[in-house]
Amino acid sequence: NFSRVTEFILLGLSDKRELQVLLFTIFLLAYAMVLLGNLLIIVAVRTDPKLSSPMYFLLCNLSFIDICCTSITAPRMLVDLLSQRKAIVFEGCIAQLFFLHFVGSSEMFLLTVMAYDRYTAISKPLHYTAIMSRWACWLLVSSCWAGGFLHSITQALLTVQLPFCGPNTIDSYFCDVPPVIRLACADIYATEWLMASNSGLISLGCFLVLVASYALILLSVRGRLPRGRWKALSTCAAHVAVVTLFFVPCIFIYLRPFSTFPFDKYVCVSYTVFSPVMNPLIYTLRNSEVKESVWRL
């Protein structure tokens, strides 16, 4: 017999009032930038006939995912930074980790699809339209969402079936699988291995595929004019930088079961807040066609 935990207490990023106000200001500005930048990109792609290629279709979906990903954690974090008691009910905690993994893993798959799209456009320009048809784009995006759902439902079921009867304090600013399952009143050896083989290997696998695809892109433009090589190198370097900012923290958090560090919650800030801020700047606003469309808006 045990009494089930009905709520969790989030410790947040800091308990110092002055630092909480500073963090609130920084994250509010970051969240506003995510919303404004990505909404502008979505509206520009949807309204400008010039932005009808598969690349912009995928970028529009990336912007939508970034808005969803940040909105799952940022509003709650902003409210908690100004609150004395940072409590979240058990059902809300499970819902938050489910949707975070749903959207986060979908973004990983979508970034992989976008790298394939760029590789096809550069390496096989004559067949690009046939390979990346509208039907193929919808199929790829749907597969990303389906893969994200299968991943997140697995994570949520692994968490829900555990008994929670003791401590209810989470040393983070949001509910995630690693800190939550360590509060369970049961042996979580198998659960942690399943979590690492699920989230960790997905993060590592997508990251390696992305790096390999950008390497293939650079090899394919090796014999072209210096200006074209420099443009490809600049674009790939920017993309790899943002991909690294998103994937490396995920690999660090999810690919190491049986251990946790106090600074894990600060590592999570990079892929829940800062990566969605950088995506519009790197993936779209560096593009002259998108910038012109946004300025017209």
Side-chain angles (χ1 to χ4, degrees):
N1 294 329
F2 62 91
S3 57
R4 189 176 182 86
V5 169
T6 58
E7 67 176 13
F8 293 105
I9 305 299
L10 302 172
L11 296 183
L13 294 173
S14 175
D15 57 355
K16 297 181 179 179
R17 188 61 181 174
E18 296 79 7
L19 185 57
Q20 287 179 344
V21 174
L22 176 61
L23 291 174
F24 175 84
T25 305
I26 294 174
F27 291 135
L28 180 62
L29 291 174
Y31 185 47
M33 290 175 61
V34 170
L35 293 180
L36 179 61
N38 286 292
L39 283 174
L40 278 174
I41 290 166
I42 292 173
V43 174
V45 173
R46 297 292 295 176
T47 58
D48 194 338
K50 296 180 181 179
L51 306 179
S52 58
S53 68
M55 178 182 69
Y56 298 117
F57 174 76
L58 297 176
L59 288 173
C60 183
N61 281 274
L62 178 65
S63 294
F64 176 72
I65 287 180
D66 280 336
I67 291 174
C68 295
C69 186
T70 311
S71 298
I72 292 170
T73 57
R76 175 83 203 190
M77 177 176 60
L78 292 172
V79 172
D80 286 345
L81 284 171
L82 300 180
S83 304
Q84 294 294 330
R85 189 172 185 270
K86 306 170 179 61
I88 181 171
V89 296
F90 179 84
E91 293 78 8
C93 184
I94 299 299
Q96 188 178 54
L97 68 86
F98 168 79
F99 285 109
L100 181 66
H101 280 265
F102 179 30
V103 176
S105 56
S106 299
E107 180 168 358
M108 291 183 182
F109 297 137
L110 182 62
L111 289 171
T112 307
V113 169
M114 290 173 63
Y116 170 74
D117 170 74
R118 290 298 83 210
Y119 171 76
T120 305
I122 293 174
S123 302
K124 302 177 181 180
L126 298 179
H127 302 282
Y128 175 68
T129 305
I131 295 174
M132 296 298 295
S133 63
R134 177 64 65 173
W135 182 85
C137 290
W138 277 109
L139 180 62
L140 289 171
V141 171
S142 300
S143 300
C144 292
W145 285 104
F149 177 79
L150 290 176
H151 163 73
S152 61
I153 196 66
T154 302
Q155 298 291 85
L157 291 176
L158 286 174
T159 306
V160 169
Q161 55 87 28
L162 294 172
F164 295 92
C165 55
N168 66 337
T169 302
I170 300 176
D171 188 15
S172 184
Y173 59 93
F174 68 101
C175 287
D176 199 5
V177 175
V180 171
I181 64 174
R182 292 189 177 96
L183 300 178
C185 307
D187 182 13
I188 59 171
Y189 180 87
T191 304
E192 287 201 297
W193 272 112
L194 287 172
M195 179 268 292
S197 62
N198 191 342
S199 299
L201 290 181
I202 286 177
S203 304
L204 180 62
C206 290
F207 178 68
L208 293 178
V209 170
L210 281 164
V211 173
S213 66
Y214 287 126
L216 290 174
I217 290 173
L218 293 177
L219 288 175
S220 66
V221 300
R222 183 175 50 183
R224 300 187 182 183
L225 296 175
R227 182 179 179 183
R229 289 203 306 268
W230 173 251
K231 183 178 180 180
L233 179 62
S234 174
T235 302
C236 287
H239 288 194
V240 169
V242 176
V243 163
T244 302
L245 181 66
F246 180 72
F247 278 94
V248 170
C250 293
I251 296 171
F252 176 78
I253 294 295
Y254 298 115
L255 198 58
R256 51 176 183 84
F258 320 118
S259 62
T260 182
F261 302 109
F263 56 83
D264 282 356
K265 56 186 177 182
Y266 303 106
V267 175
C268 295
V269 173
S270 64
Y271 65 84
T272 58
V273 178
F274 293 131
S275 181
V277 173
M278 296 299 296
N279 279 343
L281 300 175
I282 298 299
Y283 280 100
T284 53
L285 297 184
R286 285 166 54 94
N287 185 294
S288 58
E289 292 181 344
V290 177
K291 283 193 294 187
E292 291 174 3
S293 180
V294 169
W295 277 117
R296 283 197 296 269
L297 286 174

